[in-house]
Amino acid sequence: MAIRREGPLMRNGGYSLRGSRLAVAIAIGVAIGCVFAFLYPHGLFDSTPIRTSRIAKSDLQVDLSSCESSERVNMLKSEFVAVSEKNKVLKKQIRELTEKIRLAEQGKDQAQKQVLVLGEQHKAGPFGTVKGLRTNPTVIPDESVNPRLAKILEKVAVNKELIVALANSNVKDMLEVWFSSIQKVGIPNYLVIALDEEIANLCQSKDVPVYKRDPDEGIDSVARTGGNHAVSGLKFHILREFLQLGYSVLLSDVDIVYLQNPFYHLYRDSDVESMTDGHNNMTAYGYNDVFDEPSMGWARYAHTMRIWVYNSGFFYIRPTIPSIELLDRVAGRLSREPKSWDQAVFNEELFFPSHPGYEGLHAARRTMDFYLFMNSKVLFKTVRKDANLSKLKPVIVHVNYHPDKLPRMKAVVEYYVNGKQDALKPFPDGSDW
């Protein structure tokens, strides 16, 4: 058996031929690829336009949404700012309401008024320098309360102050002495509240400023026919309008003789500044009165504070919230307790402190100098008998301790105005029953 053997040449030739073919095929493939690459740089199936359009559309959507989002954000920001401002206002109102509720629950109306005046809290100063609040702020005037009275007061009052007296025909003679003394001194700011037509006509004929109230069935019957105490009780009801209109009032009974202008001698540092029924330093300004109870043994002595009452027939009252509350309290009690004496109620409301079941009035008060604003006990029992005191000229003399008012008023005028030295001598210290 013959075996075919290939020589070296044959083997090399075959290998060379196959390699050449492969090289040619590769070359042709490369050439074709170059041609296609040249002719179709983006490939046979070019998706670039589609992608580009999608990208462009997407970019457009992004741009549009960006604009919309920007406007939305701005709108939300504006709403947020507005809500924040409202929230601040609401928080402030809530804080204020919470504070008011707290004060109301504790019954600390005066504390609220002091906070309004003092503003922010302060630290206490050095020893001996600390002073508490004494003068309450005046109310905001409200002319709608009584427009007719407001016009009268605008003409009559001086520095928002005036003397006011109530009178009916029962006190006509005393009223004439009263306003004659005022005119003699030259006091311009005074007003008579006429409780009937006779007094209104008298004042008009004497060129006396007068105010005739509108009819009020609730109190007019008392005003027309009531006695001295009945008429005196009405003043607490009537004076309220004066204070609401923003005027300070020096309330005066008609059994008073004016010898100087009282407005030159007021301090105006309290809600109420009143003359006293006291007759010396102790009774007028207060003293420590020791009560003795022997059965208590070691504790037999009890110290008490005493002061004689304020006279409700002559006091200066400022237009403050405590002052108006005082008038309301006294007028309310007098309407419920017709047998009560207005001066007693006036002092109880001014002085009684808060205690279980009762809320005291938080009003500042001042006692007038009893030698300047003199009651008739001081004059007839002490002053007229003292060589030095008799030389003193008081601002007013109030004939409150004596029932024979008119002759004593005339005697005061004779003594202090006309210089008649023995004008006061005929009268006893007290009164004949």
Side-chain angles (χ1 to χ4, degrees):
M1 181 172 82
I3 299 174
R4 183 181 176 182
R5 294 182 180 270
E6 294 181 349
L9 179 60
M10 179 62 70
R11 288 196 300 272
N12 292 338
Y15 175 79
S16 177
L17 180 61
R18 286 194 299 271
S20 298
R21 289 176 179 173
L22 181 60
V24 170
I26 291 172
I28 291 171
V30 170
I32 293 172
C34 289
V35 171
F36 274 94
F38 178 78
L39 294 177
Y40 303 98
H42 302 293
L44 280 175
F45 304 100
D46 187 7
S47 61
T48 301
I50 298 174
R51 287 197 302 272
T52 302
S53 64
R54 287 178 180 174
I55 292 171
K57 185 176 180 181
S58 176
D59 290 343
L60 180 61
Q61 290 175 346
V62 169
D63 290 340
L64 291 174
S65 62
S66 297
C67 293
E68 292 175 357
S69 298
S70 178
E71 293 176 357
R72 181 63 176 169
V73 168
N74 291 334
M75 184 174 67
L76 290 173
K77 285 181 178 179
S78 299
E79 292 177 353
F80 179 79
V81 170
V83 171
S84 298
E85 292 298 325
K86 291 181 179 179
N87 191 41
K88 289 180 181 178
V89 174
L90 288 173
K91 284 183 177 179
K92 182 180 179 182
Q93 292 176 344
I94 290 173
R95 286 196 300 268
E96 292 174 348
L97 289 173
T98 301
E99 180 66 10
K100 288 180 180 179
I101 291 172
R102 185 182 69 83
L103 294 174
E105 289 176 348
Q106 295 178 352
K108 299 295 183 181
D109 293 335
Q110 181 65 13
Q112 184 180 13
K113 298 164 200 165
Q114 291 185 352
V115 168
L116 292 174
V117 176
L118 296 175
E120 60 180 320
Q121 293 178 317
H122 298 277
K123 293 182 179 179
F127 180 82
T129 65
V130 177
K131 295 290 183 182
L133 180 68
R134 283 169 171 75
T135 306
N136 281 301
T138 57
V139 298
I140 298 174
D142 183 7
E143 292 190 1
S144 65
V145 171
N146 191 330
R148 185 166 67 89
L149 178 59
K151 292 180 180 179
I152 295 174
L153 296 181
E154 188 175 352
K155 296 178 181 178
V156 174
V158 175
N159 296 326
K160 305 286 283 188
E161 298 176 323
L162 74 161
I163 300 170
V164 174
L166 282 70
N168 61 18
S169 55
N170 292 337
V171 294
K172 177 182 175 182
D173 294 336
M174 284 191 293
L175 178 65
E176 291 194 68
V177 178
W178 179 85
F179 65 65
S180 295
S181 69
I182 288 177
Q183 293 172 338
K184 183 74 174 180
V185 174
I187 303 169
N189 49 330
Y190 70 102
L191 180 69
V192 174
I193 300 178
L195 301 178
D196 55 38
E197 289 297 333
E198 185 176 355
I199 294 299
N201 295 333
L202 171 66
C203 291
Q204 290 170 358
S205 66
K206 299 292 184 178
D207 198 26
V208 172
V210 63
Y211 166 62
K212 181 71 167 61
R213 297 177 58 257
D214 293 329
D216 187 333
E217 292 300 327
I219 64 175
D220 276 1
S221 59
V222 176
R224 288 191 299 268
T225 61
N228 191 39
H229 285 308
V231 172
S232 184
L234 291 178
K235 62 195 172 195
F236 299 99
H237 177 84
I238 296 173
L239 280 182
R240 193 183 205 277
E241 291 184 346
F242 287 77
L243 301 193
Q244 285 182 279
L245 292 171
Y247 289 85
S248 296
V249 174
L250 185 55
L251 190 280
S252 173
D253 281 353
V254 296
D255 56 344
I256 293 176
V257 175
Y258 286 77
L259 303 169
Q260 298 184 60
N261 190 327
F263 294 107
Y264 298 158
H265 301 273
L266 298 175
Y267 286 81
R268 301 173 179 84
D269 63 348
S270 304
D271 299 298
V272 178
E273 196 167 340
S274 179
M275 74 170 295
T276 175
D277 274 1
H279 58 92
N280 55 28
N281 286 340
M282 289 178 58
T283 58
Y285 309 137
Y287 62 102
N288 182 9
D289 183 42
V290 180
F291 177 78
D292 184 11
E293 190 176 4
S295 63
M296 287 298 296
W298 175 83
R300 64 183 292 180
Y301 299 111
H303 291 257
T304 68
M305 298 307 299
R306 299 281 299 277
I307 186 173
W308 285 30
V309 295
Y310 283 175
N311 192 289
S312 63
F314 190 87
F315 60 87
Y316 177 79
I317 185 166
R318 296 175 58 248
T320 66
I321 292 297
S323 296
I324 295 174
E325 183 182 359
L326 171 65
L327 298 180
D328 288 351
R329 286 184 177 218
V330 176
R333 280 190 57 185
L334 291 176
S335 66
R336 297 189 302 270
E337 306 166 14
K339 294 184 179 181
S340 296
W341 181 26
D342 67 283
Q343 180 160 293
V345 175
F346 175 71
N347 280 272
E348 288 171 1
E349 294 299 335
L350 265 179
F351 286 96
F352 280 176
S354 298
H355 55 263
Y358 176 78
E359 179 67 23
L361 180 71
H362 300 283
R365 54 193 183 270
R366 168 180 281 274
T367 306
M368 292 177 172
D369 186 324
F370 68 90
Y371 282 130
L372 294 180
F373 299 91
M374 192 180 296
N375 61 58
S376 57
K377 180 176 182 177
V378 173
L379 175 61
F380 287 97
K381 186 177 180 180
T382 306
V383 171
R384 67 171 176 169
K385 301 174 183 179
D386 188 292
N388 291 321
L389 292 176
S390 61
K391 297 176 183 178
L392 173 68
K393 187 176 184 179
V395 177
I396 62 120
V397 173
H398 188 180
V399 188
N400 60 315
Y401 269 98
H402 301 89
D404 50 338
K405 297 180 181 296
L406 184 59
R408 289 187 188 246
M409 289 178 69
K410 291 180 178 179
V412 170
V413 173
E414 289 294 324
Y415 182 80
Y416 285 107
V417 178
N418 300 328
K420 189 176 180 180
Q421 296 301 308
D422 59 350
L424 303 177
K425 290 182 179 180
F427 300 93
D429 290 354
S431 59
D432 297 329
W433 291 97

